[in-house]
Amino acid sequence: MKLICNSSDLSHNLSLVSRAVPSRPTHPILANVKLEASTEPQQVSLTAFDLSLGIETSFSAQVQESGQLTLPAKLLNEIVSKLPEVEITLESEPETESLTITSTFGRYQVRGMSTEEFPELPVVENGLGSQLPSAVLIEGLRGSLFASSSDETKQVLTGVHLIARGDSLEFAATDGHRLAVVVAVAQDEETGDDAKSAAGERQQAEFEVTLPARALRELERMVGGPQNLEAVSFHLGQGNTVFELPTGRLTSRTLEGQYPNYRQLIPKQFERQVTLDRKALLSALERISVLADRKNNLVKFTLDGDRQELSLSVEAADFGSARESMPAQISGEDLDIAFNVKYLMDGLKALPTAEIQMQLNGPTTPVIFTPVGGLKMTYLVMPVQIRS
């Protein structure tokens, strides 16, 4: 194998696939990334696979001799990332299973392994196929991923639940304390209308699946890159999914188990409603959280309907206290209610509009945050009981 490429192209693609390299590989070959060069087309592909998440990317290069080899992902990434943006030559030596990297700055040799034991990425042959608009994917993932659980004992909650119906794609994530639901609808690029053509050509296949948040975070990075993708091909098989992009693909196992019926958690009626500026509330929470972090991470909201004012307060007995107030449009009776400040800040960062609405009933019942206009997103947070 011999090829010439730009160091930045190699570095960028290495950083993407390296996220699928396990930190504690069960087999030495899994710590490697597969490098494959082809003269037809003039292309280089990189692949990493931890037996759950697989990422493959490709980029153009001057390939003089085809070939393939697996190389230590971490070492290769560290070498290439430290090179300035220059043309480099990669040449493998079959006898020693090593790769030589040559640039104007010097020469590096990395010992690798053959590709014989490297596992193949899953392929979905007879499963469901669909085209997912990239804008819909980005909207849904940004509005839901943050609410998934990091507790591996709650396996199904470490994922995002996707439901496709017609031209809409629903994303839901919960860790048991909060819930984020986004319903994104494909828009016609020219008219801005919902993408429902007369012939029904844009109608998507219907499916329901729970996918690991870790895999979807990598998908978000790949789709949200500078290439301006219109759509991503999605294939759902038995226990596996494949997302195909023009410059690569991502494979992931699906999560087993029944996802919670989250819709029944969302109240249908509310006694109180608050409309306020999202950035002002987020800024106040960021300031006040300095003291909240010192003890129990709680912030108390006080709704004052007469003054049309929302007050935020923190009491950290051994450190001090803080209080801020801001104007708000409040309907309903006055109320004191407390929240985990981190949960509030996470949700406010994901809500995409200037104004938001907070809907609630009592001090211990679920509270709903929604954007005023724009994306159809619901963020539910369970309040924390205030102890006197």
Side-chain angles (χ1 to χ4, degrees):
M1 172 173 61
K2 186 175 182 181
L3 64 101
I4 300 170
C5 69
N6 191 292
S7 61
S8 62
D9 289 341
L10 180 58
S11 179
H12 170 70
N13 285 274
L14 266 175
S15 66
L16 283 176
V17 300
S18 292
R19 297 178 185 276
V21 176
S23 55
R24 296 179 181 176
T26 54
H27 191 285
I29 197 74
L30 297 180
N32 285 11
V33 59
K34 182 167 81 170
L35 173 69
E36 187 171 5
S38 176
T39 55
E40 190 57 48
Q42 291 277 299
Q43 191 168 278
V44 175
S45 68
L46 297 168
T47 308
F49 188 29
D50 66 3
L51 303 182
S52 173
L53 169 66
I55 300 176
E56 178 185 271
T57 65
S58 60
F59 60 96
S60 299
Q62 301 173 43
V63 182
Q64 297 173 6
E65 293 177 23
S66 298
Q68 56 184 13
L69 186 66
T70 77
L71 299 148
K74 186 177 180 183
L75 177 60
L76 186 61
N77 202 11
E78 287 178 349
I79 291 172
V80 177
S81 65
K82 289 178 171 60
L83 289 172
E85 188 171 347
V86 292
E87 274 197 347
I88 56 176
T89 302
L90 309 183
E91 189 169 6
S92 66
E93 298 174 12
E95 301 80 16
T96 59
E97 292 183 341
S98 62
L99 181 79
T100 301
I101 305 170
T102 307
S103 76
T104 54
F105 292 88
R107 184 173 175 270
Y108 300 84
Q109 190 174 57
V110 180
R111 189 68 60 88
M113 300 170 65
S114 79
T115 58
E116 290 179 4
E117 294 184 38
F118 195 85
E120 292 292 328
L121 294 188
V123 176
V124 177
E125 294 180 346
N126 301 314
L128 176 147
S130 185
Q131 289 287 317
L132 305 181
S134 57
V136 167
L137 271 176
I138 292 295
E139 272 188 351
L141 293 176
R142 285 179 180 168
S144 62
L145 273 170
F146 70 93
S148 61
S149 176
S150 57
D151 185 353
E152 291 298 330
T153 62
K154 302 175 181 177
Q155 183 80 171
V156 75
L157 297 188
T158 62
V160 175
H161 195 65
L162 275 67
I163 302 175
R165 295 284 184 272
D167 291 298
S168 71
L169 192 57
E170 181 169 305
F171 302 74
T174 179
D175 61 6
H177 303 286
R178 54 184 173 169
L179 164 70
V181 181
V182 178
V183 180
V185 179
Q187 299 288 312
D188 186 276
E189 292 183 3
E190 293 183 4
T191 67
D193 296 332
D194 292 353
K196 295 180 181 178
S197 62
E201 294 175 359
R202 297 284 294 276
Q203 292 286 331
Q204 302 299 321
E206 297 190 351
F207 62 86
E208 189 166 347
V209 66
T210 307
L211 298 176
R214 177 182 168 229
L216 293 175
R217 285 190 186 97
E218 303 314 322
L219 178 67
E220 183 187 0
R221 285 189 181 95
M222 294 173 74
V223 177
Q227 65 268 47
N228 294 321
L229 295 178
E230 286 188 11
V232 175
S233 295
F234 171 73
H235 305 277
L236 175 61
Q238 191 65 39
N240 282 297
T241 55
V242 178
F243 294 91
E244 291 186 353
L245 293 76
T247 55
R249 61 180 168 142
L250 180 145
T251 71
S252 172
R253 65 184 175 90
T254 58
L255 291 178
E256 302 296 326
Q258 184 69 36
Y259 202 78
N261 184 4
Y262 54 87
R263 290 190 185 92
Q264 69 179 11
L265 301 175
I266 304 173
K268 300 294 187 291
Q269 294 180 322
F270 299 94
E271 297 172 5
R272 299 169 176 86
Q273 184 168 295
V274 183
T275 304
L276 68 168
D277 185 276
R278 181 186 69 89
K279 286 187 177 178
L281 177 58
L282 181 57
S283 297
L285 286 170
E286 287 173 339
R287 290 188 293 269
I288 215 166
S289 67
V290 175
L291 275 166
D293 290 341
R294 299 284 177 176
K295 190 175 181 183
N296 50 19
N297 222 27
L298 294 187
V299 59
K300 185 172 79 172
F301 279 23
T302 299
L303 308 184
D304 188 333
D306 291 336
R307 294 186 177 182
Q308 290 291 290
E309 185 177 82
L310 171 67
S311 296
L312 291 66
S313 58
V314 169
E315 296 286 343
D318 298 329
F319 300 97
S321 63
R323 185 181 180 89
E324 288 203 23
S325 298
M326 66 186 65
Q329 299 172 38
I330 300 172
S331 63
E333 296 181 5
D334 295 354
L335 179 73
D336 287 344
I337 188 168
F339 301 96
N340 179 308
V341 70
K342 180 183 181 300
Y343 291 166
L344 288 184
M345 289 165 61
D346 287 348
L348 290 172
K349 289 173 184 175
L351 288 162
T353 54
E355 276 195 324
I356 58 167
Q357 208 168 66
M358 181 171 75
Q359 296 170 292
L360 62 161
N361 288 311
T364 59
T365 57
V367 178
I368 300 296
F369 292 86
T370 55
V372 176
L375 182 67
K376 188 177 179 183
M377 176 179 173
T378 302
Y379 183 51
L380 179 152
V381 184
M382 289 302 299
V384 180
Q385 190 169 359
I386 303 173
R387 290 182 172 85
S388 55

